[in-house]
Amino acid sequence: MNTVQFFGLFNYWVVIFLMMVGFYMIIARHNFIKKVIGVNIFQIAVILMYITMGKIHGGTAPIVKSEIAQHFAHHESHEDDSHEHTSSDGSKAEEHPFVDTTVYSHPLPSVLMLTAIVVGVGTTAVALSLIVRIREDYGTIEEDEALAMDRAQS
Amino acid sequence: MRNHLPILLVVVPLIAAPACLLLGNRRLIYLFSLVVAWLTFANSLRLLATVLVSGKLRYNIGNWAPPYGIEFVADPLSAFVAMFVSGMAAAVLAYAPRLVEVEIPAEKQHYFYSLYLTCLTGLLGITLTGDLFNVFVFLEISSLSSYALISLGKDRRAVLASLQYLFIGSIGATFFLIGVGLLYQVTGTLNMLDIARRLQELEIVNGQGIVMLASTRTLRVALAFMTVGLGIKMAVFPVHKWLPNAYTFAPNVVTCLLAATSTKVAVYVLIRLIYGIFTLEFSFDLLPMRYELILLSFLGIFTASLAAIFQSDVKKILAYSSVAQLGYMVLGVNLISAMGLSGAIVHMFNHAVIKGALFMVVGCFALRLGSVQLEDWRGAGKRLPWTSFAWVLAGLGLIGVPLTAGFISKWTLLLALAQEETWFLAGALVVSSLLAVVYVWRVVEVLYFGQPSQKVLEAKEAPLSMLVPTYGLILVMMVFGFWTEYSLGIAQQAAATMLETATMLKEVAK
């Protein structure tokens, strides 16, 4: 692997770094809030991975340009006037010599990540509310202290 | 109507869950959720009947054709899993009201029913969806609602157990998500069938020239991530630590539901992944997954059974036994033969029924004695004869005594091991069943031969409304102990379909 390849994968190095940071925090920290932050960092690493795979070099945001949309809209209304219904794609292509040459980034991974972000927010909300209850019941948010209290009791 | 069954199974409880919160009256909420649960069960039975007669049912959500839209697929395996998941949820809900009154604070009871239905939605969604990302979403729906359900427990340790489960569960789900991402990266699709097809067909150019996509490292990493993620969710041996505490401190009703359904659904996803998406050659030849998972399942069976023997809390005994029983399922999945796979599938069903019944018995004792410590159960055989006898019967099923459903699944697994001529493993399977005898017997001994404890002397027999569902499940367990047409029969058909898919994909590649 040469230098160019190495830096070409820059995003993925960041993904792996963040993933390990989050993972380490979940395992090694005793403070529950810090663990939640670890879970969040861990999830953000995955989100970054998805976003990176959707990005195409030189690609623009996946929104059809207005002049292209207008061209097609115009053409479609024309088609409706003449009552010509072409069903097969082949004949349609002949009628549309206009080709959109814009390079778009892939929108799907970003959309998937919207769902993943929602899931992440839900997880964080549940985790934080559980921590509030642990604080009420144990008077601490340190895992080792809470476990020690349970051991002492039983 | 019949064509809409797959989506109805998921949508009905999904809409009913928030609707629960709108009904003011607690009694009304209970009746409403009970009706929804049984309706879902009836739907899943119809779906199973349809699938068995006319084969695979595919449903395009919003009429968007796959792979662009999300599709729901019901084949014998998914319909069978959906059937017993919704069936157990309905049975547990019928059993629940008395315990819910006692165990869950009055102001939280309507949340309980709402969360219960949400959890059911997630579990059914996992079984029916044909889209890999959808699996992740439903997995998190069911997990998040089960974290909340577990934290409803009275003991403060319930909250701690729930939070610990949340941390490890999130790691598992995110691992699964990484795997899905890597798969999507190389195949460009999320539809399971489409991924499977493209894995066989696509070729890519890399450092060594043109190679099959299936031989790239990305795919191996993807499968590894997904297996570990699912392993955490199903509590396979080295990553099972969350399960005993979560099961022990959760309210008894919640334990019944989770023990009977949630881990099995993760096993289902593993089966779908190994047989339906990656092929057998990939999972077992390119990756040495088979030997590792068989080794881990045996380690799990033995360590968890031994741990179960030394517990003083009955719920912990059963929780460790669940880890052990899960080992049998993972073992069956990795035997690759039709016999082994159908053994795993039928054990999912049988174990759901048996463990559900056993936790119901625990619930009965908890209601009357207010304790699940073995110490407090001493001599309950005379004061609570029906409840104690239910433990004996369900315990026999757990051990795998002939004429109970547990025997059928263990026998099938044993035959599968014999078929492979791995006598050492077959012997280990028999020995592991003896360990189950020990931990079931410990409780029986305490129940029938101990001096009655103070709590037992004050207690009376469990109410009929709880004994009837418990004995109902035990009856199911007994019936499927000798009449196996609709348990093992369907499991064999499901296994055959999965293996067919695997060979069909191979044909496509040629």
Side-chain angles (χ1 to χ4, degrees):
Chain A
M1 189 183 284
N2 60 39
T3 338
V4 179
Q5 277 174 329
F6 182 85
F7 285 106
L9 293 172
F10 180 72
N11 272 20
Y12 291 99
W13 300 122
V14 175
V15 166
I16 291 166
F17 176 72
L18 284 179
M19 204 179 273
M20 289 306 117
V21 168
F23 203 31
Y24 178 77
M25 279 177 81
I26 301 171
I27 294 168
R29 296 290 121 192
H30 291 302
N31 187 305
F32 285 127
I33 299 283
K34 287 181 183 165
K35 275 179 186 266
V36 174
I37 296 172
V39 170
N40 275 315
I41 295 176
F42 191 57
Q43 283 169 340
I44 281 170
V46 180
I47 291 171
L48 182 63
M49 184 185 94
Y50 271 77
I51 302 294
T52 308
M53 74 173 86
K55 173 71 183 163
I56 294 169
H57 198 65
T60 174
I63 303 166
V64 179
K65 282 180 185 163
S66 59
E67 60 259 33
I68 296 164
Q70 267 165 15
H71 174 87
F72 279 93
H74 179 232
H75 203 91
E76 255 167 40
S77 65
H78 184 72
E79 205 171 85
D80 285 346
D81 290 342
S82 57
H83 296 286
E84 275 177 328
H85 291 288
T86 44
S87 54
S88 70
D89 289 1
S91 58
K92 254 189 181 170
E94 280 168 272
E95 283 173 36
H96 294 269
F98 192 94
V99 178
D100 183 4
T101 51
T102 328
V103 177
Y104 297 109
S105 286
H106 198 340
L108 193 69
S110 312
V111 177
L112 293 178
M113 282 309 101
L114 281 182
T115 317
I117 289 168
V118 172
V119 169
V121 170
T123 313
T124 312
V126 173
L128 289 177
S129 47
L130 289 175
I131 293 171
V132 170
R133 278 196 55 197
I134 286 180
R135 176 77 171 74
E136 283 169 4
D137 292 347
Y138 288 87
T140 177
I141 52 165
E142 300 284 330
E143 189 177 27
D144 46 348
E145 287 175 19
L147 289 173
M149 283 165 77
D150 277 339
R151 263 197 299 275
Q153 197 184 42
S154 61
Chain B
M1 178 67 191
R2 196 154 275 244
N3 289 335
H4 291 284
L5 277 174
I7 191 72
L8 275 178
L9 269 182
V10 177
V11 163
V12 171
L14 181 66
I15 294 174
C20 271
L21 298 177
L22 299 177
L23 300 166
N25 186 308
R26 249 188 286 149
R27 190 96 207 125
L28 208 63
I29 294 175
Y30 170 66
L31 285 176
F32 177 67
S33 41
L34 188 67
V35 168
V36 168
W38 281 93
L39 189 72
T40 309
F41 181 42
N43 275 341
S44 67
L45 281 176
R46 275 187 67 191
L47 178 67
L48 182 62
T50 314
V51 168
L52 288 180
V53 172
S54 51
K56 197 187 251 184
L57 200 62
R58 300 176 71 170
Y59 182 87
N60 302 342
I61 292 176
N63 219 4
W64 291 92
Y68 304 106
I70 292 170
E71 68 168 344
F72 271 28
V73 182
D75 60 4
L77 178 61
S78 54
F80 184 60
V81 176
M83 186 277 290
F84 77 71
V85 166
S86 57
M88 286 308 297
V92 171
L93 206 56
Y95 156 94
R98 288 293 294 266
L99 264 182
V100 172
E101 287 295 325
V102 181
E103 289 189 333
I104 292 168
E107 74 276 7
K108 284 184 189 158
Q109 283 176 15
H110 52 295
Y111 294 122
F112 166 79
Y113 292 115
S114 180
L115 285 169
Y116 191 94
L117 290 178
T118 319
C119 190
L120 178 62
T121 309
L123 294 170
L124 290 175
I126 298 169
T127 57
L128 289 169
T129 185
D131 183 280
L132 216 46
F133 192 77
N134 229 224
V135 172
F136 164 74
V137 175
F138 280 121
L139 204 63
E140 280 305 79
I141 290 177
S142 69
S143 300
L144 281 174
S145 43
S146 39
Y147 307 145
L149 280 171
I150 291 167
S151 74
L152 287 173
K154 262 187 182 165
D155 197 321
R156 65 177 183 183
R157 282 173 291 182
V159 189
L160 198 58
S162 164
L163 191 61
Q164 283 170 331
Y165 178 21
L166 184 145
F167 287 132
I168 198 157
S170 300
I171 294 176
T174 313
F175 266 43
F176 188 77
L177 189 60
I178 295 169
V180 175
L182 293 173
L183 259 183
Y184 180 68
Q185 205 167 18
V186 287
T187 59
T189 172
L190 287 166
N191 183 289
M192 291 182 190
L193 258 176
D194 216 29
I195 293 178
R197 208 172 293 137
R198 291 194 190 182
L199 286 184
Q200 300 300 315
E201 287 169 353
L202 286 185
E203 289 169 339
I204 58 157
V205 183
N206 71 359
Q208 286 119 38
I210 301 172
V211 293
M212 288 300 294
L213 185 59
S215 63
T216 55
R217 190 183 293 153
T218 315
L219 276 182
R220 292 182 212 181
V221 175
L223 182 60
F225 266 116
M226 289 164 106
T227 313
V228 173
L230 288 172
I232 290 175
K233 289 279 177 191
M234 66 174 115
V236 165
F237 165 62
V239 282
H240 66 282
K241 275 292 174 201
W242 60 268
L243 188 140
N245 278 338
Y247 277 19
T248 308
F249 301 119
N252 286 305
V253 183
V254 176
T255 316
C256 276
L257 176 75
L258 293 184
T261 55
S262 70
T263 48
K264 277 91 193 161
V265 171
V267 178
Y268 159 81
V269 181
L270 185 68
I271 296 178
R272 174 105 2 216
L273 206 60
I274 291 178
Y275 292 86
I277 297 178
F278 294 92
T279 47
L280 291 174
E281 291 88 61
F282 184 81
S283 314
F284 296 131
D285 291 349
L286 274 170
L287 282 176
M289 237 173 71
R290 187 178 177 204
Y291 302 103
E292 279 163 21
L293 282 175
I294 288 181
L295 181 69
L296 286 182
S297 55
F298 268 102
L299 279 175
I301 290 170
F302 279 98
T303 49
S305 299
L306 283 173
I309 289 171
F310 295 104
Q311 298 301 320
S312 60
D313 184 320
V314 183
K315 278 175 100 178
K316 265 210 169 120
I317 297 180
L318 291 182
Y320 274 108
S321 137
S322 272
V323 177
Q325 300 290 323
L326 212 107
Y328 293 119
M329 293 172 216
V330 177
L331 170 70
V333 172
N334 287 291
L335 286 179
I336 324 183
S337 56
M339 186 77 93
L341 189 56
S342 47
I345 295 167
V346 80
H347 196 52
M348 279 157 75
F349 168 73
N350 290 339
H351 181 246
V353 174
I354 294 166
K355 229 354 121 39
L358 279 168
F359 272 116
M360 280 184 179
V361 174
V362 173
C364 292
F365 277 117
L367 181 77
R368 285 308 188 212
L369 304 177
S371 164
V372 289
Q373 296 299 319
L374 200 51
E375 188 65 7
D376 295 325
W377 286 24
R378 264 185 295 120
K382 289 204 185 66
R383 299 287 301 184
L384 297 89
W386 286 99
T387 321
S388 306
F389 192 55
W391 174 278
V392 176
L393 289 179
L396 290 177
L398 188 62
I399 297 164
V401 173
L403 288 181
T404 63
F407 173 71
I408 300 294
S409 37
K410 280 195 185 157
W411 181 247
T412 317
L413 284 175
L414 205 58
L415 285 182
L417 284 172
Q419 223 175 33
E420 307 241 320
E421 304 198 332
T422 42
W423 302 112
F424 175 71
L425 294 182
L429 192 77
V430 175
V431 173
S432 72
S433 295
L434 294 178
L435 291 175
V437 175
V438 177
Y439 58 74
V440 170
W441 176 253
R442 261 189 78 212
V443 181
V444 173
E445 191 182 350
V446 165
L447 285 177
Y448 286 99
F449 304 109
Q451 285 300 315
S453 69
Q454 195 55 40
K455 280 182 175 154
V456 166
L457 288 173
E458 290 159 9
K460 57 179 195 291
E461 183 58 84
L464 211 58
S465 68
M466 288 165 73
L467 279 178
V468 170
T470 312
Y471 273 93
L473 279 189
I474 290 175
L475 188 71
V476 170
M477 180 194 91
M478 294 291 183
V479 167
F480 285 116
F482 53 86
W483 183 64
T484 56
E485 195 182 337
Y486 285 106
S487 58
L488 189 59
I490 297 176
Q492 277 165 341
Q493 197 177 335
T497 329
M498 288 318 285
L499 288 168
E500 246 169 50
T501 323
T503 43
M504 193 188 73
L505 288 170
K506 220 186 309 171
E507 295 290 303
V508 169
K510 279 173 193 165

